[in-house]
Amino acid sequence: MTDVTQSVETDAGTARVTWHRAKRARLVLAVSHGAGGGIEARDLQALARVLPAHGVSVALVEQPWRVAGKKVAPAPKTLDLGWRGVWPALAAPGLPVIAGGRSAGARVACRTAAEVGAHAVLALSFPLHPPGRPEKSRADELLGAGVPTLVVQGGNDPFGRPDEFPRGSYEIVEVSYGDHGFAVPKRADTTQEQALETITDAAVKWVTSLG
């Protein structure tokens, strides 16, 4: 259930946080969207529905550029600026905060994790490289997070399939047949609902392991 939506002023503009609160929260999972969509993304909504029942309050974060109605995401430095500005509101409940996001939001979470004091990082559809450009790797951002990290990646993600990821201290879970938005084709031997369950089950198991 959505408890509250709050506006947060940052140096990059006004951000918005939509809270889905757990009755007895022990952690906060703050997740932001990618460069091509908002918090209505199927994976973010699935996490907001499922995790509160497991003691995790979910904060869906809309970056200032989305709140302002712009169509194109700004430069990474501006995205980081907006995320840092939202962090005090995310930490206000006094609980450990997991930094998360999908696609560009996952990159932001990794880049800023150590600086903001994130408890861990949840990277959904981490864009390891631009489609068709594996030489343009962003692995250093993922490997540099410096905190426990879970990557959830579609098996057919053109921004990086699970088998393309380098070895590291992070965990990775594959969503079979999933594309960058975790959509699965109708011909696949798994359903869209099962794909989302893979994401939420992995997240529940992982956050439980964090203690």
Side-chain angles (χ1 to χ4, degrees):
M1 182 176 69
T2 300
D3 291 340
V4 85
T5 299
Q6 67 178 125
S7 295
V8 181
E9 297 303 321
T10 80
D11 289 341
T14 303
R16 188 161 52 218
V17 182
T18 302
W19 288 90
H20 298 257
R21 298 187 188 275
K23 288 184 178 179
R24 295 182 179 178
R26 57 185 180 84
L27 292 168
V28 171
L29 170 63
V31 283
S32 190
H33 50 79
I39 60 170
E40 71 280 358
R42 57 172 60 88
D43 50 339
L44 303 187
Q45 290 295 319
L47 291 169
R49 286 193 304 270
V50 173
L51 264 63
H54 297 273
V56 181
S57 290
V58 178
L60 301 181
V61 179
E62 293 174 87
Q63 280 269 6
W65 68 273
R66 285 285 297 184
V67 176
K70 296 178 180 178
K71 303 296 185 183
V72 179
K77 286 184 179 180
T78 303
L79 294 177
D80 292 355
L81 187 66
W83 184 251
R84 287 195 298 265
V86 174
W87 197 261
L90 304 173
L95 299 169
V97 183
I98 300 168
R102 73 160 355 269
S103 194
R107 294 181 65 194
V108 172
C110 289
R111 287 194 301 261
T112 61
E115 177 187 353
V116 299
H119 186 58
V121 165
L122 174 60
L124 303 159
S125 295
F126 186 87
L128 185 64
H129 57 70
R133 302 290 301 277
E135 74 280 4
K136 299 284 187 180
S137 177
R138 297 158 181 152
D140 58 332
E141 294 179 354
L142 175 63
L143 298 173
V147 296
T149 300
L150 173 65
V151 177
V152 183
Q153 202 75 6
N156 291 330
D157 192 333
F159 289 82
R161 298 183 310 277
D163 60 10
E164 295 182 73
F165 277 69
R167 291 186 178 181
S169 58
Y170 59 90
E171 298 177 46
I172 187 165
V173 170
E174 177 174 346
V175 178
S176 299
Y177 304 101
D179 64 10
H180 195 57
F182 295 121
V184 297
K186 291 183 179 179
R187 66 181 183 277
D189 59 5
T190 188
T191 66
Q192 189 65 65
E193 182 179 350
Q194 288 171 328
L196 293 177
E197 287 177 355
T198 297
I199 298 168
T200 55
D201 287 352
V204 168
K205 180 180 179 181
W206 179 66
V207 297
T208 300
S209 75
L210 293 174

